[in-house]
Amino acid sequence: MAILNILRYPDPRLHKVAKPVAEFDERLQKLVADMAETMYDAPGVGLAATQVDVHERLVVIDVSETHDQLKVFCNPEITWASEEREVYEEGCLSVPGIYDGVERPARVKVRAMDQFGKAFELEADGLLAVCIQHEMDHLMGKVFVEYLSPLKRNRIKTKLLKEERGQQRDGGARAAGGRR
């Protein structure tokens, strides 16, 4: 297993639409294991393949406190969403340190396959429902900050780009013997 690199917003690769998982083979099993390890290490509760620059319809989620209830969704589709909506404070491994309220359906039903190609259906509410919808947005090339106002979105983009430039500068200084 390996820790994968998580793309950071506003990386344009986060806006690619994912293609269906076609083969349930060893490569997919390794990808699922690597994504799970990456998600737990981050730490997070969900990760879409898009976030690790693999543009296939694959999501891993574990909202348990004990990190031992991994759910794998290949080619997920929401078959029903409640009319009732809730605002949930969301964050994202691709948008580190940023949290904001996003309104979504309170309950959803999802149809998907596990990493072995076995079909299943699941009804979810609470954090699991939010997480499923959030990660499925990634598969469609959408990041949660796109639900926010243009002003907030631009502030977030500016902040993250500034942080990235600072990290690159600091990394270069360390490589040059610590001098700036």
Side-chain angles (χ1 to χ4, degrees):
M1 294 191 295
I3 303 292
L4 304 172
N5 182 47
I6 298 172
L7 300 177
R8 284 177 56 125
Y9 180 80
D11 191 307
R13 294 172 290 180
L14 288 168
H15 299 293
K16 280 187 175 179
V17 175
K19 306 249 184 296
V21 171
E23 293 188 37
F24 296 83
D25 55 8
E26 283 183 33
R27 180 199 63 86
L28 181 69
Q29 309 309 315
K30 180 174 178 357
L31 178 58
V32 166
D34 289 347
M35 284 177 59
E37 185 176 2
T38 301
M39 175 187 71
Y40 291 131
D41 181 70
V45 294
L47 187 66
T50 300
Q51 293 175 271
V52 294
D53 203 19
V54 176
H55 303 282
E56 294 180 53
R57 294 186 57 75
L58 168 63
V59 167
V60 295
I61 294 174
D62 187 345
V63 296
S64 72
E65 294 285 326
T66 51
H67 303 288
D68 61 355
Q69 295 176 32
L70 183 70
K71 292 179 178 21
V72 177
F73 299 82
C74 296
N75 304 328
E77 56 184 292
I78 292 176
T79 58
W80 174 84
S82 67
E83 287 185 27
E84 176 192 356
R85 299 176 70 79
E86 287 184 355
V87 175
Y88 215 96
E89 186 89 351
E90 293 188 29
C92 181
L93 297 177
S94 291
V95 191
I98 305 295
Y99 300 89
D100 212 319
V102 176
E103 183 178 295
R104 298 184 185 270
R107 295 185 322 282
V108 294
K109 284 184 187 173
V110 64
R111 179 176 32 223
M113 288 180 267
D114 66 15
Q115 68 266 41
F116 305 106
K118 183 175 184 234
F120 68 92
E121 286 190 273
L122 176 76
E123 187 166 341
D125 61 5
L127 180 57
L128 181 57
V130 170
C131 199
I132 288 168
Q133 294 172 81
H134 175 110
E135 300 307 334
M136 286 182 66
D137 276 352
H138 279 299
L139 301 179
M140 298 307 298
K142 188 170 187 176
V143 181
F144 92 97
V145 296
E146 292 171 48
Y147 287 98
L148 308 178
S149 72
L151 178 65
K152 277 187 179 179
R153 200 168 43 247
N154 285 332
R155 284 184 176 160
I156 290 166
K157 188 183 291 187
T158 301
K159 178 181 187 232
L160 292 176
L161 287 171
K162 188 175 178 181
E163 283 176 9
E164 191 174 307
R165 281 193 302 271
Q167 288 170 353
Q168 289 170 351
R169 211 176 30 253
D170 291 347
R174 276 194 295 278
R179 284 177 263 142
R180 288 192 180 185

